[in-house]
Amino acid sequence: DVKVTQSSRYLVKRTGEKVFLECVQDMDHENMFWYRQDPGLGLRLIYFSYDVKMKEKGDIPEGYSVSREKKERFSLILESASTNQTSMYLCASSSARVEQYFGPGTRLTVT
Amino acid sequence: KNQVEQSPQSLIILEGKNCTLQCNYTVSPFSNLRWYKQDTGRGPVSLTIMTFSENTKSNGRYTATLDADTKQSSLHITASQLSDSASYICVVSLHYGGSQGNLIFGKGTKLSVKP
């Protein structure tokens, strides 16, 4: 079974803090994704990566950065967390032209 | 503009009843359509994936249909169970050469199954 794990299920941070969200997949997938999910807005793509050290902006990259130093790991970084970044963050991975597999999600609250 | 619209937004049914969720899309060029189930507080899990040439696909009590001419899909749930309570998300993939950042997500239908 494909497994996508995320470092935390719940996270509470203060405004201005630097936040790291980690995602690890065990299926040797080339592609990895970070989404945020908000009520009434659905899933929105923040960044994705199709190879180690490669990244592409999604629909809402502002305020975020990513890092992919190893194929299995994709990190989402909030350089200076703000309250409007309170959300559910979902990581996903896929091989070319195959469905995406999602992690369990991290519910981030910024106070 | 590439869009995926789902209806209804929410739905309440009694346990044991059937229901049908709708997905209309205006996505081009089309590659495939997926239905995901997302339990509250969890990540989405794939139910079905259909390409242009597939009209129907089943996964247990879940049956998805696709009409590529009218750009409509439906997800039919038979003999609903309490565990079917979840959000159901329709996702359409754009047909591009390599990148996987080409998914258009619907906002989901929230299904509640009551005893």
Side-chain angles (χ1 to χ4, degrees):
Chain A
D1 272 358
V2 174
K3 196 160 185 183
V4 180
T5 57
Q6 295 183 227
S7 50
S8 305
R9 291 298 312 279
Y10 301 95
L11 209 52
V12 180
K13 295 291 181 180
R14 293 195 181 276
T15 302
E17 277 193 81
K18 190 168 186 175
V19 182
F20 292 87
L21 302 182
E22 301 260 303
C23 175
V24 178
Q25 51 96 2
D26 66 357
M27 284 302 292
D28 202 36
H29 284 166
E30 301 89 3
N31 308 305
M32 296 188 74
F33 309 81
W34 275 108
Y35 296 91
R36 65 177 283 177
Q37 186 177 32
D38 301 289
L41 295 178
L43 277 86
R44 292 180 291 167
L45 181 64
I46 304 171
Y47 267 98
F48 67 99
S49 168
Y50 52 89
D51 202 351
V52 175
K53 296 192 186 293
M54 305 302 286
K55 60 186 179 185
E56 293 274 350
K57 291 180 181 179
D59 300 319
I60 50 164
E62 296 78 19
Y64 303 94
S65 62
V66 290
S67 171
R68 193 165 181 205
E69 297 296 318
K70 293 184 177 181
K71 192 174 186 180
E72 68 270 19
R73 190 180 298 269
F74 192 35
S75 302
L76 179 70
I77 303 152
L78 288 67
E79 293 289 342
S80 177
S82 63
T83 54
N84 62 14
Q85 292 179 309
T86 291
S87 186
M88 171 75 127
Y89 289 88
L90 290 160
C91 174
S93 75
S94 75
S95 189
R97 299 190 180 280
V98 175
E99 64 182 284
Q100 291 191 2
Y101 295 89
F102 286 86
T106 295
R107 186 164 293 283
L108 172 67
T109 302
V110 182
T111 62
Chain B
K1 184 181 177 185
N2 290 316
Q3 279 187 316
V4 175
E5 302 280 350
Q6 290 187 246
S7 61
Q9 200 169 2
S10 62
L11 183 61
I12 301 173
I13 62 173
L14 291 176
E15 186 179 11
K17 298 295 186 184
N18 303 335
C19 68
T20 300
L21 314 180
Q22 299 288 346
C23 174
N24 297 336
Y25 61 93
T26 55
V27 175
S28 181
F30 173 91
S31 177
N32 58 64
L33 185 145
R34 314 149 188 225
W35 282 94
Y36 283 88
K37 178 187 179 188
Q38 185 177 21
D39 293 318
T40 301
R42 301 282 179 176
V45 174
S46 177
L47 292 174
T48 64
I49 179 169
M50 290 183 290
T51 60
F52 183 87
S53 58
E54 293 174 298
N55 300 114
T56 186
K57 193 165 253 189
S58 292
N59 178 357
R61 293 180 297 102
Y62 301 101
T63 299
T65 64
L66 174 64
D67 186 333
D69 292 329
T70 62
K71 297 189 176 181
Q72 294 180 327
S73 176
S74 64
L75 180 69
H76 186 73
I77 304 174
T78 305
S80 61
Q81 299 176 358
L82 298 178
S83 59
D84 292 330
S85 295
S87 288
Y88 292 84
I89 303 171
C90 176
V91 185
V92 178
S93 177
L94 286 159
H95 183 72
Y96 285 147
S99 169
Q100 284 283 294
N102 307 315
L103 300 184
I104 312 297
F105 288 82
K107 293 180 181 177
T109 292
K110 185 165 185 174
L111 174 66
S112 298
V113 180
K114 302 293 186 186

